[in-house]
Amino acid sequence: MPATILIGAQWGDEGKGKLTDLLAKEMEVVVRYQGGHNAGHTVVVDSERFALQLLPSGVLYPHITPVIGNGVVVDPKVLIEEMDALEARGVDCSRLVISGSAHLIMPYHQELDALTERYLGKNRLGTTKRGIGPAYADKAARVGLRVQDLLDPKIFRQKLDVVLKEKNLILAKVYNRLGLSAADIAGAYLDQYAPRLAPQIGDSVGLVHEALARGAGVLLEGAQATFLDLDHGTYPFVTSSNPVAGGACTGAGIGPRHISRVIGIAKAYMTRVGAGPFPTEVAGEEGDALVARGHEWGTNTGRRRRTGWFDAVMVRHAVRLNSLDELVITKLDVLDTFEKLKVCVAYEAGGKRYEQLPWHQSVLYEAVPVYEELPGWRCETTRVQHEDDLPGPARKYLGFLAEQSGAPISYVGVGPERAQVVALNVR
Ligand code: GDP
Ligand code: IMO
Ligand code: MG
C-alpha cells in the first residue's frame, strides 16, 4: 500500500489530529514530516482529550509506529514531556522513531523567536514563540544542530560553541540580553535529553521505505497548513516549513511515486491564528458564534482564532498546490444553528473578478469576497452516522463546497469525538 498524505487546506487546526487517528486504523506507520511543537493536534477518545504537539497522532494505537521525520524541528525537552505525559495516561511511546536528521530547537531559538516578535511590534507575525522560525533559519544557514548530534557529544559541543558565539553577540548587542551558557545547554541536551531519547533516534527514511516495500500503510501527517506554507502561504504570515504535499516527500524522505492518495482537510468555515490577510473574515455576532460554537481557541497557545466563511478560492488553490484527490470537511456541526451560510466563490478587486487566488498578495487585502448564500439546516447533526441522515441543506452545502473547490468530499466531521465522522461520496 503506497503512502497517503494528509494536509490542512486552510490556515491550520482543521482537525488533522482527529482524521489521522481515524486513518491510522488502516496504517502501520504515521510520519510527521514538518513543523514542530507549534502544532496542536487534538484527538478525543471516549471524552478523553489528547492534544499532541510533536508526536504523530497515530501514537494512540499500539499497532502504529510513530515517526518524527527529518523535516521536523524537535525541542527535545518538549518531546520528553509529551512522551512522559502520554505514558502516564497509559499510551506506550516506545515505538517512536525520531529521524537523526531532524533539527533541534535550541534555547536561543525560542528566545530569539520571542525577541523578534517583540521587536517587530505591530508588524509581528503572531508566531507561537516556540523557536520554529529561528530553528529553520539556522537549518538553511547550515548552522543548525541535528538530533543525531545528541549521540556525538564532541560534534555537539563543537557546533554549539560556534553557533552560540554568534547567538550571544546577537542577544547582547542587538537585544541587550544576557548570553546563554554553552555548558548549561550541553548539560541539558547531552546529559538529560540525549540518554532519554537515544533509544528512539534512528533511520526514519529506512524504516519508511521498508514499510512501503512490505506494502504496509504509511500516513504522512501534515502540521500547519497550505496557507501557512513558507512558499505558498500568505508570506510573511506563515510558518517556516513546507506543509504542502511536496514538503511531505522532502520531510519524510520518499519520492512522489510512492504517494497514492492526497487528502486535504478543511473546516466547513475558516479560521486563522495570528496575523495576516483573511478575505472572508467575519467579525461581530456571526464571528462570535463561530468562535463559541467551534471552541475556536488555539489548542496549543490558547489564543482566540479569527473566523470567517468558507473560502472556495483558497481551497481551490489548495487542491491545485497539493494535487488533492479528496477533501475532508470538519466541524459541520458548528454551523447547525445558522439560518444562512455564505461561501466565497470569487474575489473582486480593482474592477476585476478573481476565481483563482491572485498571485500578487496585495490584492488579497483589498479583495471583496463574492458570496453565494445557502440556507442553513437548523438542526443538530452531531449524532448523524450515515450520509443519508444528513439534513438536505447540509448535503447541498457540502455538494456546493465540493463543486466549488474542485475535489470530492470523502468524510465530514460532526463533532470532536473519534466516532463523530460520516463517510461521504459528495462530488
Ligand atoms: P489540527 O491542528 O488540524 O489537528 O486541529 P486542532 O486539534 O488544533 O483543532 C481542531 C479542533 O476541532 C479540536 O478541538 C478538535 O477536537 C475539534 N474537532 C475536530 N473535528 C471536529 C468536528 O467535526 N466537529 C467539532 N465540533 N469539533 C471538531
Ligand atoms: P496545527 O498543526 C494554526 C501559525 C501561528 C503564526 C504562524 C507562524 O495545529 O494546524 P510559527 O510559530 O509556526 O512560526 O508561527 O503560523 N501557526 C499555526 N496556526 N495551527 C497551527 O498548527 C499553527 N502552527 C503555526 O499562529 O500565525
Ligand atoms: Mg491545531
Side-chain angles (χ1 to χ4, degrees):
M1 187 173 162
T4 299
I5 310 180
L6 172 65
I7 303 163
Q10 297 164 326
W11 278 296
D13 304 325
E14 297 92 346
K16 296 176 292 292
K18 181 182 156 181
L19 194 73
T20 298
D21 173 75
L22 179 86
L23 296 168
K25 281 186 213 151
E26 334 158 355
M27 303 288 165
E28 282 186 35
V29 177
V30 180
V31 188
R32 273 279 310 268
Y33 59 84
Q34 45 66 236
H37 66 302
N38 48 349
H41 293 184
T42 316
V43 183
V44 184
V45 187
D46 300 330
S47 302
E48 206 184 333
R49 185 174 173 276
F50 296 87
L52 302 155
Q53 295 185 278
L54 266 164
L55 286 162
S57 305
V59 68
L60 303 182
Y61 288 107
H63 72 275
I64 290 289
T65 301
V67 174
I68 295 181
N70 54 276
V72 175
V73 284
V74 178
D75 184 324
K77 181 167 184 275
V78 172
L79 178 58
I80 292 167
E81 282 167 5
E82 187 171 354
M83 288 166 71
D84 286 347
L86 282 175
E87 297 268 359
R89 293 171 75 180
V91 178
D92 175 16
C93 299
S94 64
R95 300 171 318 280
L96 174 71
V97 175
I98 313 165
S99 165
S101 300
H103 276 245
L104 290 168
I105 294 187
M106 305 297 289
Y108 44 82
H109 291 140
Q110 195 140 352
E111 186 158 358
L112 287 167
D113 196 352
L115 286 168
T116 314
E117 282 286 273
R118 200 179 309 161
Y119 181 79
L120 284 170
K122 67 175 178 35
N123 296 315
R124 68 182 170 273
L125 309 180
T127 75
T128 59
K129 298 188 186 155
R130 303 289 149 97
I132 305 294
Y136 278 115
D138 277 0
K139 175 179 176 177
R142 295 155 297 178
V143 293
L145 276 82
R146 297 194 290 176
V147 167
Q148 59 185 280
D149 298 332
L150 290 173
L151 306 180
D152 190 333
K154 192 167 157 237
I155 292 277
F156 185 97
R157 284 179 213 278
Q158 258 176 22
K159 286 187 171 182
L160 180 63
D161 280 346
V162 172
V163 73
L164 197 59
K165 220 176 265 171
E166 192 199 5
K167 300 297 177 198
N168 278 345
L169 275 174
I170 295 171
L171 286 171
K173 308 267 182 204
V174 178
Y175 297 108
N176 201 20
R177 288 278 158 152
L178 290 176
L180 301 174
S181 142
D184 287 353
I185 297 176
Y189 279 64
L190 294 175
D191 302 339
Q192 288 176 44
Y193 311 149
R196 173 69 204 277
L197 293 179
Q200 323 304 143
I201 301 172
D203 177 12
S204 65
V205 172
L207 183 149
V208 169
H209 280 275
E210 276 160 30
L212 289 168
R214 266 202 325 274
V218 174
L219 176 64
L220 308 176
E221 175 187 4
Q224 291 78 56
T226 303
F227 295 102
L228 289 172
D229 184 276
L230 183 59
D231 285 76
H232 297 286
T234 45
Y235 189 92
F237 305 103
V238 293
T239 193
S240 298
S241 65
N242 289 113
V244 295
C249 291
T250 313
I254 61 178
R257 286 191 211 286
H258 284 296
I259 313 293
S260 66
R261 185 179 178 196
V262 189
I263 307 172
I265 182 162
K267 289 183 197 186
Y269 49 98
M270 310 284 286
T271 64
R272 121 166 259 178
V273 205
F278 187 166
T280 64
E281 185 164 18
V282 288
E285 252 174 58
E286 279 171 336
D288 291 345
L290 287 171
V291 171
R293 288 190 52 78
H295 304 288
E296 297 298 353
W297 282 275
T299 306
N300 196 325
T301 57
R303 290 178 293 172
R304 183 185 156 118
R305 297 180 183 134
R306 299 158 64 192
T307 50
W309 296 116
F310 190 90
D311 188 337
V313 181
M314 299 201 86
V315 178
R316 208 176 280 154
H317 196 59
V319 170
R320 276 181 158 182
L321 286 174
N322 298 300
S323 306
L324 297 182
D325 296 301
E326 63 198 90
L327 277 172
V328 170
I329 299 292
T330 59
K331 300 191 120 172
L332 186 78
D333 54 299
V334 173
L335 303 180
D336 283 353
T337 56
F338 284 75
E339 212 168 308
K340 284 190 176 134
L341 302 166
K342 289 183 189 168
V343 176
C344 170
V345 297
Y347 304 142
E348 273 173 4
K352 250 180 95 175
R353 183 182 163 102
Y354 294 86
E355 284 177 4
Q356 298 297 343
L357 197 72
W359 67 267
H360 202 301
Q361 203 165 293
S362 300
V363 179
L364 273 195
Y365 287 94
E366 48 166 318
V368 177
V370 178
Y371 286 119
E372 293 261 345
E373 218 169 69
L374 285 92
W377 40 95
R378 310 204 71 195
C379 61
E380 212 179 297
T381 55
T382 52
R383 287 190 191 84
V384 173
Q385 291 280 293
H386 193 270
E387 181 170 359
D388 298 338
D389 299 328
L390 280 170
R395 266 182 282 161
K396 275 217 175 100
Y397 183 72
L398 292 167
F400 192 68
L401 299 192
E403 177 198 317
Q404 287 296 322
S405 306
I409 300 174
S410 52
Y411 289 102
V412 65
V414 291
E417 277 279 346
R418 198 180 244 180
Q420 285 177 302
V421 64
V422 182
L424 292 183
N425 187 9
V426 172
R427 296 182 174 269

